């Protein structure tokens, strides 16, 4: 339930001591507050709104401590919806002059997917995509275009949900600034744009963090392979981790996972066991850096023939694009300097379905 919030200034020592009723904890509070004052910059809302600073809250969702305070402050700090730059006809461009601002009052519906989640209800194995509405109005049953699908392809948004914690409620209409959860048919990915109207449109994609941890993962029980594959496919769709394979592997070889930190691997294993009833074994690899090759396989083959890829692992991502794994930053920087045709990148967005 909703927790009662009582705010007490730090300089009101008498009230604080009465409420805490523990001298050791009271002294620890003052010590921590002093430490924060020394280490952290003061809150500057102008910098927050310019995306140069992030507010920091302390609390625990598990014990329902500080949650209500965070929600109240979040509402106070929030602003009215703002427009976003978008590429018309989905033409690739890094030039802001080739992009158009889509304001909230734009007539057509537009929104972008910032999160996907699978298996919210284990009984139904449902998959949701979370959409932030940028312009127009969402209406139940509307048909929308998709930034990575073919121009004529439409998706029916039969229903949408508003989610808060474990609570769900059906949404008939949604407006700019609202966040809705829609059914994910398996084609929606983080960073995708949904829109109505005749022209194709795409907001800038949302890059994923460059992975620094790698491992092979497999199911020790052959009879669980189908459940293992289904679980991994859904977790990969969420973006919990990234998947890599050997260059010539068409799907039957060992699956390699890539993540920023070890915790992501542990979450995958736990969810496989709890949600899909599948155990898994992970075998860590000694690489610490991944770079996507913008120059394609031709550039990889040339560098390999020149002997420049010694000690570097050549793999492919889920869409068959070349990825190089390095053991240190120095090797990656040196290769980029020597073989500029590789066009090394720390991440890559999902490709269009037209590719």
């Amino acid at each position: 339930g909703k927790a009662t919030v009582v705010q007490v200034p730090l300089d009101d020592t008498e009230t604080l001591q009465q409420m805490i009723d523990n001298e050791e904890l009271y002294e620890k509070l003052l010590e921590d507050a002093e430490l924060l004052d020394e280490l952290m910059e003061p809150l500057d809302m102008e910098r927050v709104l310019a995306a140069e600073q992030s507010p920091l809250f302390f609390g625990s969702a598990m014990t329902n401590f500080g949650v209500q305070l965070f929600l109240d402050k979040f509402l106070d700090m929030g602003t009215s919806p703002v427009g976003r730059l978008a590429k018309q006809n989905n033409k690739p461009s890094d030039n802001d002059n080739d992009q158009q601002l889509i304001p909230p009052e734009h007539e057509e519906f537009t929104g972008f997917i910032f999160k996907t989640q699978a298996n919210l209800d284990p009984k139904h194995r449902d998959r949701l995509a979370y959409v932030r509405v940028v312009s127009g109005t969402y209406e139940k049953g509307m048909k929308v275009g998709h930034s990575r699908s073919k121009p004529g392809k439409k998706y029916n948004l039969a229903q949408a949900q508003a989610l808060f914690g474990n609570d769900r409620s059906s949404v008939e209409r949604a407006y700019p600034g609202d966040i809705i959860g829609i059914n994910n048919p398996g084609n929606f990915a983080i960073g995708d744009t949904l829109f109505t109207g005749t022209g194709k449109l795409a907001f800038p994609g949302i890059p994923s963090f460059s992975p620094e941890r790698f491992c092979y993962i497999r199911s020790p029980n052959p009879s669980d392979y189908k459940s293992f594959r289904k679980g991994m496919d859904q977790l990969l769709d969420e973006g919990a981790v990234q998947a890599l394979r050997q260059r010539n592997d068409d799907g039957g070889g060992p699956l390699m996972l890539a993540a920023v930190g070890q915790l992501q691997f542990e979450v995958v294993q736990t969810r496989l066991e709890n949600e899909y009833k599948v155990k898994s074994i992970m075998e860590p690899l000694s690489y610490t850096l991944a770079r996507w090759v913008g120059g394609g396989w031709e550039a990889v083959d040339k560098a390999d023939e020149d002997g420049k890829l010694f000690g570097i692992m050549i793999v492919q991502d889920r869409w068959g694009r070349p990825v190089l794994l390095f053991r240190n930053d120095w090797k990656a920087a040196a290769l980029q300097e020597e073989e500029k045709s590789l066009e090394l990148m720390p991440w890559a967005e999902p490709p269009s379905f037209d590719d």
Side-chain angles (χ1 to χ4, degrees), residues 270-312:
T270 300
R271 292 189 61 184
L272 282 174
E273 185 169 355
N274 293 340
E275 298 176 19
Y276 300 92
K277 312 305 178 187
V278 175
K279 291 188 178 295
S280 60
I281 295 176
M282 290 186 172
E283 301 171 5
L285 296 168
S286 60
Y287 298 94
T288 63
L289 195 71
R291 288 293 181 264
W292 273 255
V293 182
W297 287 111
E298 184 176 342
V300 171
D301 291 337
K302 179 181 180 301
D304 197 19
E305 291 173 2
D306 293 341
K308 302 295 185 180
L309 303 185
F310 180 76
I312 298 171

Side-chain angles (χ1 to χ4, degrees), residues 14-86:
E14 182 177 350
T15 303
L16 280 176
Q17 285 178 311
Q18 289 177 352
M19 295 187 68
I20 295 175
D21 195 25
N22 184 302
E23 188 64 26
E24 185 178 347
L25 291 178
Y26 172 71
E27 293 296 334
K28 184 69 166 62
L29 171 64
L30 296 184
E31 181 183 333
D32 290 346
E34 184 179 357
L35 185 63
L36 288 173
D37 285 340
E38 292 294 329
L39 295 180
M40 300 191 67
E41 298 180 27
L43 179 65
D44 185 340
M45 285 305 301
E46 288 188 4
R47 294 185 62 194
V48 171
L49 297 178
E52 296 174 353
Q53 187 186 69
S54 295
L56 179 62
F57 292 84
F58 293 87
S60 169
M62 183 176 295
T63 60
N64 199 13
F65 171 75
V67 176
Q68 190 61 48
L69 180 62
F70 162 72
L71 295 174
D72 293 342
K73 290 294 183 181
F74 184 80
L75 290 176
D76 292 340
M77 292 178 174
T79 65
S80 58
V82 296
R84 288 175 65 90
L85 290 173

Side-chain angles (χ1 to χ4, degrees), residues 291-297 299 322 341-345:
R291 288 293 181 264
W292 273 255
V293 182
W297 287 111
S341 62
L342 288 172
E343 301 177 25
L344 299 182
M345 305 176 296

Side-chain angles (χ1 to χ4, degrees), residues 209-325:
F209 289 105
S210 181
E212 299 176 358
R213 302 267 183 165
F214 308 89
C215 73
Y216 285 117
I217 184 170
R218 60 183 176 86
S219 172
N221 191 345
S223 62
D224 290 337
Y225 181 76
K226 185 175 180 180
S227 298
F228 173 76
R229 284 302 320 162
K230 183 174 184 179
M232 283 308 311
D233 287 342
Q234 293 194 354
L235 292 174
L236 290 171
D237 286 340
E238 281 189 24
V241 289
Q242 299 181 60
L244 302 172
R245 290 188 180 275
Q246 299 287 348
R247 175 174 182 175
N248 297 318
D249 183 1
D250 58 1
L255 178 62
M256 184 188 305
L257 301 185
V260 177
Q262 180 65 27
L263 181 60
Q264 289 173 268
F265 293 152
E266 295 172 6
V267 168
V268 167
Q269 280 194 301
T270 300
R271 292 189 61 184
L272 282 174
E273 185 169 355
N274 293 340
E275 298 176 19
Y276 300 92
K277 312 305 178 187
V278 175
K279 291 188 178 295
S280 60
I281 295 176
M282 290 186 172
E283 301 171 5
L285 296 168
S286 60
Y287 298 94
T288 63
L289 195 71
R291 288 293 181 264
W292 273 255
V293 182
W297 287 111
E298 184 176 342
V300 171
D301 291 337
K302 179 181 180 301
D304 197 19
E305 291 173 2
D306 293 341
K308 302 295 185 180
L309 303 185
F310 180 76
I312 298 171
M313 191 173 188
I314 305 173
V315 295
Q316 60 175 322
D317 67 7
R318 294 180 72 188
W319 296 280
R321 300 175 299 191
V323 183
L324 302 181
L325 304 186

